Amino acid sequence: MRFSPNTLYVLICSLVALPVAASDTAPARADTDVEEMIVQGRKSDYSVITENAQKIIDVPGSLGDPLMAVFSLPGVISEGDGGGAPAVRGSSPSDNRYLVDGAPAAYVFHAFSTSIFNENIIQDFELFSAGFGPRYSNAIGGIFDIKLRDPKAADIYTKVDLSLLRAGVFVEGELSENSAFYLSGRSSLLQYFFDGDELEEEEGIKVQDAPEDTDYQFKYQYRLGDDHKLTLSANGASDLAAAEFTEFSTEVLEEPDFAGDAKIKNTFNNQSLRWQFAASGSSELDVQIGHYQKNDDTFWGGEKYFFNMIAEDVYALANYDFLAGKSHSISVGAETHSTEYSYDARFINYVCTEFDPDCELRRGELIVAEDAVTIKEHSAYINDHWAITDALALDLGVQTHYNDFTEETFTHPRVAIAWEFIDNWTLSSSAGSYNRLPDIDKTFPQIGNTELQSPTSNHYTLGIKQELANEWSWSVTTYYKTMDELPLASDTNDNTQPFYTNNIEGEAYGVDLFINKGLTDRWYGWLAISASRSTRTNKLTGIERDYYLDTPLVVNWVMNYQMNELWTVGTRLTAQSGRAITPIIGIQPNPWFENRILPVYGEPYSENLPVYARLDLRFKREMTLWGYSGTYNIDILNALNRRNVTDRNLDYKRTQSPQDVKLEDEVGMGIIPAVGMSLTF
C-alpha cells in the first residue's frame, strides 16, 4: 500500500462519510446584508475572486465553508469527491502555496475537505492560477492568497453555530477606543455519535476515533492614528483519526503489515505580529514577523510502524507599494525564512511518486531513521505597474529566490499586459518563470536524496474578456505550463541509484471559458468550462504519461437566487470527464507475503472512469429566535444520489484465481442532506 502522512485520515474519512448520509452540515452567516460577488481578472490572467464571506459561503455544495467555492472556479479540480487538496491548471497540489494575511500557512484545508477558517472572518480571497506576479515565491502551481478582515470597532457580540457535525463560537468587539479583537473556535462533533459497527462489518475496519478536527483564529488590532495599524494574530488547526484494520480489510489483504491499530494526528499553529502603514493613498508599507509549527504524527500496524515529522518556521516579510509619477506604481518586497524539518520514522519505504500508478509493487526496505535539517530561504522582488495609457497597462517585474539547502539562486522575470482595445473589451497576457523547494520527505538522508534540485516551471497565458450590461461578463483564457526537475522514483532493486532523481518533466495546457453575472435582479451566478491536458514524461526513457489528476473537461454551473427577504436558494452542477486510470489486467503472487496476491497492471492511464456528475442544492432562511437574529440552512449534496466512480481497484476478497479477477469500483458519497443554524447574541 502506498502510504503518506494523510493516507489514513483520508481513508477513514471516506469510509465514515458513507453511512452518515443525513448528518453533515455547516455553519451559517450572521450578517443579513447581501453584497456583490466579483469574479474577475486583474492586470493579466489572474483568476481572482474578491468578495465578502457572505457570497463565498452561499455557494451550494460548499456546506457553508468559506473556501470551498474554489472548486467551482475554472482550472481547479479536487483530489477526492469534490474536496481534498486542490490541483490548479495541471499542476500538482504540492505545487501550490497558501498565504494568510501575507504569511505562509502550513495548510488551509482540513483533511476532509473543509477549510480551517470561520466564515465570519474571510474578507478577501484571491486565486492566482497561472502567470502570477513577482510578489509570490516558492510555488509553481497556484497561489491561494487569503486575507482575514480586521476586527470591528463595535460592541462585543457572540455568534454561535451548531449542527450535527460541527459547533463553533465567534466573539468580536471593541476593547478600547483604538483597539478591537475577534476570537473564533470550532470543533467537529462526528466523533460523539458515530457508530462504526456497519463499517466494521462491511469493510473490516474498527473506527476508534472518528475523524475529528478543530481550528481557531485570533486577531487583536491596535490603531495608531489614522495611518498605522498594529496587529497580533494567531491561528491553528488539528486533525485526528484512529482505527484498527482487521484481517478482513482490503488494506490488510493487500499489505498484511498494515494490520492493527493506526492513528494520525496533524496540528498547525501560527503566530504573527504585523505593522501596516498607509499614507493617504500614495504609499503602503506592510511589515510582518511570525512563527509557525506543523506536526504530523502517524503510526500504523499496531504501532510497529510510524512516521513523525515536524516543520518549524521563523519568518519575516515586508512589502512596500508607492506611486512614482503619474503612471507608475512600484512594488518592492522581501521575505526570509529559517525552517527546521525533523523526522523520526520506522516504516517500509515505498519508492514512488505521482508518476507511478503501481506504488504497491515498489516496496523497498525497512527504514529506521531520524534526522533534522534547517533550510534558510530568502527572496526579494520588484514590480512596476506602468499605466501607459488609460487603456493599456504593463507589469514588469523580477524576483530572486535563494535557499541554502540546494544552494540554488533563481532569478525569475515576470511580465503581464492588459489592453482595453475597445470599450469593455480587454486583451491580457502574462509570462514568467517559477520554482519551489523540493519535496522535503524525498530529500532526507536514508529515505530520499539530499541532492534533489528545486522543481521549476514556466507559465504563459493569453485571455480576452468583455464586460456587458447588467453585471454580465465573459472571458476566454488559454494557458501553457512547463514543469521540470520533478522527482522520479528509481528502481527499488537498483542500489547504485538514489531513491529519487530529478528526471521528470511535464506540461499542461488548456482553455477556460468563464461566464459571470454579478448580483442584479436578486440573483448571481457563473458558468465555468475548462478543457485541458496535463502530462508527465520520464526524461531517461522518454515515456510520456497523462498526469494522474488529468481531467480533460470540467463544467461548473453555479446560481444563487434571492426568492424574497427571507429565502435564498442556490444550485451548483458539476460535471467532469472520467479521469484516466491504469487498468488491472491480472494478478500475481505477492513476493513479500506468502499466499497473498498483487495486481498486474496494463498500459498506464490507458482507460477512463465514467463521467462524474453532481448536483448540490442550498436553501437559506433568515430568522429570529428568542429575539436573536440568525439563519437556517438546508444543504443537499449530490441531490440526484448519483454514485460517481472515483477509482477502480482489485477486489482482494472476491478474486480467487488469475482466471477470475474481480475489480471493485470505489464510489463517492451518496445523497447527503444537511441542516444547520446560527444565532448572534
Side-chain angles (χ1 to χ4, degrees), residues 41-48 88-89 91 95-96 127-137 139-143 383 395-397 399 412-418 428-434 457-463 477-482 508 512:
R42 186 174 69 182
K43 297 183 183 178
S44 62
D45 180 34
Y46 295 167
S47 297
V48 181
V88 180
R89 284 185 170 173
S91 300
D95 293 334
N96 300 327
L127 166 63
F128 300 94
S129 55
F132 42 87
R135 181 184 294 257
Y136 300 103
S137 64
I140 64 174
I143 296 291
N383 187 78
D395 277 86
L396 288 173
Q399 178 200 97
H412 297 301
R414 297 177 190 175
V415 60
I417 189 169
S428 60
S429 183
S430 66
S433 63
Y434 306 86
S457 180
N458 294 319
H459 295 186
Y460 308 92
T461 72
L462 177 64
T477 303
T478 61
Y479 64 90
Y480 177 69
K481 293 182 179 180
T482 65
D512 296 329

Side-chain angles (χ1 to χ4, degrees), residues 8 15 83 94 100 122 128 142 208 258 293 341 348 372 377 463 490 527 583 668 676:
L8 171 64
L15 294 169
S94 62
V100 178
I122 297 289
F128 300 94
Q208 298 166 335
F258 210 75
Q293 180 171 312
Y341 299 93
I348 302 297
E377 296 178 79
S490 301
L527 173 68

Side-chain angles (χ1 to χ4, degrees), residues 355-358 533-538 543-547 604-605:
F355 187 77
D356 304 300
D358 56 349
R533 184 156 188 249
S534 183
T535 63
R536 303 292 186 267
T537 301
N538 184 329
I543 295 175
E544 181 183 83
R545 296 176 180 173
D546 287 341
Y547 181 51
Y605 305 110

Side-chain angles (χ1 to χ4, degrees), residues 308 310 340-345 369-373 443-446 450:
N308 302 323
I310 300 175
E340 181 183 70
Y341 299 93
S342 60
Y343 79 97
D344 182 16
E370 60 179 304
D371 206 345
V373 61
T443 60
F444 280 118
Q446 300 186 60
T450 59

Side-chain angles (χ1 to χ4, degrees), residues 312-335:
E312 186 169 8
D313 182 29
V314 177
Y315 61 86
L317 56 92
N319 296 286
Y320 181 48
D321 303 321
F322 63 94
L323 298 177
K326 296 182 179 180
S327 58
H328 293 270
S329 177
I330 309 296
S331 298
V332 296
E335 186 174 349

Side-chain angles (χ1 to χ4, degrees), residues 9-23:
Y9 194 96
V10 174
L11 173 63
I12 298 176
C13 286
S14 301
L15 294 169
V16 168
L18 299 179
V20 191
S23 304

Side-chain angles (χ1 to χ4, degrees), residues 538-558:
N538 184 329
K539 293 191 289 185
L540 298 180
T541 64
I543 295 175
E544 181 183 83
R545 296 176 180 173
D546 287 341
Y547 181 51
Y548 87 104
L549 289 177
D550 182 53
T551 308
L553 185 64
V554 179
V555 178
N556 280 289
W557 173 65
V558 174

